Amino acid sequence: MNKSSEKPKQPEKLGVDEYECPICKDTELVLKRDEQGYEIASFCECRERKAWKRRFKQALIPDEFIHANFENYKRLNPFQQTMYQMTVDYLNEFSVLKQEDGTKKKIIPNKNFGLIAVFGEQRLKELPIGERSIVKQQHNNFGIGKTHLQIALAKRLIKDGFNVLIVSDVTFMDELIQAKMMNDEGETLNRLLHSAIHADVLVWDDIGKAKWSEAKEALYYQIINERYRKQKPIVFNSNEDRGTLSEKIGYAAASRLIGQCGPYLLEVEGEDFRLQKSG
């Protein structure tokens, strides 16, 4: 057969079953004609569902907490009930109001929400080895459900339309330091900082866990201070107490972080549920 007579292959078209939404064919827009015959575009009913999926993916929820929610958080003792109630109270500070023009207005509290230790990990490490186990039993802050509750909070906010970013302290600070050292004119660092500073809500897991350095202290301050200036909330938990957290992230950053909590700062301790499960 003469090659010149061969018909060029046409690009394959997706069938109806191959679209996630057969109504708008994944464009999230539906065209309708008005009474005068003009085509008018309107949002498809799938738009909000897909937006929720995008927000959920962008939040970077850790794999081990992908199933964490309020319903499966176990309140076995008074301190867990107190943590749960404070988290729910904080959630109620958020709302989305539908305005007359059909747009939605987000109501975001200018308060941070923190769950911290009574007796910090750094303070524990400074004790003589023989005293550590005894003090840890008296003031345990590990495995009590701080992260579970705050991830549950994040999920609910994402579902309600808020943009949430979740970061784990050690990984996040390492990424920032590595980006700072990259030879890309600060592009990667600025992208990471922009996400952390401009998210509706920043959930900072285990803040103060990373090994201290002057460069990290400067980054803590930059992010926390910018969010403080913009009145954007930080939801955080830490295995450090008020004093040791200040030593780990810097006194200026800690002052803004903790000082912005108002009534939403709780010093917690109790039994490690991870040890109970392995027992």
Side-chain angles (χ1 to χ4, degrees):
M1 182 182 292
N2 192 337
K3 288 186 179 181
S4 62
S5 64
E6 291 182 7
K7 293 182 178 181
K9 290 185 178 180
Q10 298 295 320
E12 292 184 9
K13 294 184 179 181
L14 291 174
V16 175
D17 294 338
E18 295 178 68
Y19 290 110
E20 186 177 338
C21 177
I23 297 174
C24 68
K25 297 182 179 178
D26 295 339
T27 64
E28 299 184 21
L29 292 173
V30 177
L31 294 175
K32 295 181 180 178
R33 293 189 180 276
D34 62 12
E35 295 177 354
Q36 284 75 39
Y38 294 107
E39 283 191 334
I40 298 176
S42 61
F43 290 123
C44 182
E45 60 185 19
C46 74
R47 183 172 184 263
E48 181 55 36
R49 183 179 69 254
K50 289 182 178 179
W52 179 84
K53 286 183 178 180
R54 286 193 292 270
R55 291 193 300 270
F56 191 85
K57 184 177 181 180
Q58 291 166 358
L60 303 179
I61 295 174
D63 291 342
E64 64 267 35
F65 292 103
I66 204 73
H67 299 297
N69 55 50
F70 286 115
E71 290 71 28
N72 61 22
Y73 178 73
K74 295 181 180 179
R75 291 166 276 166
L76 304 176
N77 47 52
F79 83 83
Q80 287 179 318
Q81 177 60 41
T82 301
M83 287 169 58
Y84 174 86
Q85 189 58 53
M86 182 172 283
T87 308
V88 172
D89 291 344
Y90 187 72
L91 173 63
N92 290 334
E93 295 263 356
F94 293 81
S95 61
V96 179
L97 302 178
K98 191 170 184 179
Q99 301 186 101
E100 292 182 359
D101 61 0
T103 61
K104 295 179 180 179
K105 180 181 179 182
K106 298 175 184 176
I107 305 300
I108 303 174
N110 61 354
K111 306 180 188 75
N112 295 337
F113 170 36
L115 299 172
I116 63 174
V118 174
F119 194 95
E121 183 179 5
Q122 185 63 33
R123 202 178 304 281
L124 187 68
K125 290 178 179 178
E126 292 170 356
L127 292 173
I129 295 177
E131 297 179 23
R132 292 178 191 173
S133 61
I134 298 173
V135 175
K136 185 180 182 302
Q137 288 179 358
Q138 295 172 340
H139 299 289
N140 176 65
N141 184 58
F142 300 89
I144 59 177
K146 301 188 299 299
T147 302
H148 181 124
L149 274 176
Q150 292 187 336
I151 295 297
L153 169 70
K155 287 182 177 179
R156 191 68 64 86
L157 292 175
I158 292 167
K159 187 176 181 181
D160 290 344
F162 296 92
N163 296 316
V164 180
L165 176 65
I166 301 168
V167 297
S168 180
D169 190 66
V170 173
T171 302
F172 182 50
M173 296 312 293
D174 284 348
E175 287 178 348
L176 289 175
I177 293 297
Q178 289 172 12
K180 196 176 178 70
M181 297 168 62
M182 289 177 66
N183 186 24
D184 64 351
E185 299 182 343
E187 182 179 342
T188 303
L189 178 63
N190 290 333
R191 176 175 52 80
L192 291 171
L193 290 173
H194 185 275
S195 298
I197 290 169
H198 290 89
D200 289 338
V201 183
L202 175 62
V203 178
W204 206 320
D205 185 40
D206 211 2
I207 187 170
K209 181 69 174 177
K211 187 177 180 181
W212 180 90
S213 73
E214 189 173 336
K216 289 175 184 174
E217 183 172 321
L219 289 165
Y220 281 124
Y221 179 79
Q222 183 176 354
I223 296 168
I224 293 169
N225 185 57
E226 282 300 309
R227 292 192 66 87
Y228 175 83
R229 288 178 60 250
K230 296 177 183 298
Q231 297 290 286
K232 287 180 173 286
I234 299 175
V235 174
F236 65 96
N237 65 73
S238 179
N239 289 317
E240 301 295 345
D241 57 44
R242 289 172 183 257
T244 58
L245 182 57
S246 298
E247 293 173 7
K248 296 299 291 290
I249 70 172
Y251 289 95
S255 174
R256 286 161 174 74
L257 182 71
I258 294 174
Q260 194 72 5
C261 287
Y264 294 106
L265 179 69
L266 188 62
E267 297 170 306
V268 294
E269 60 184 16
E271 293 183 63
D272 188 336
F273 80 90
R274 297 189 191 102
L275 296 180
Q276 293 174 5
K277 290 198 302 186
S278 63

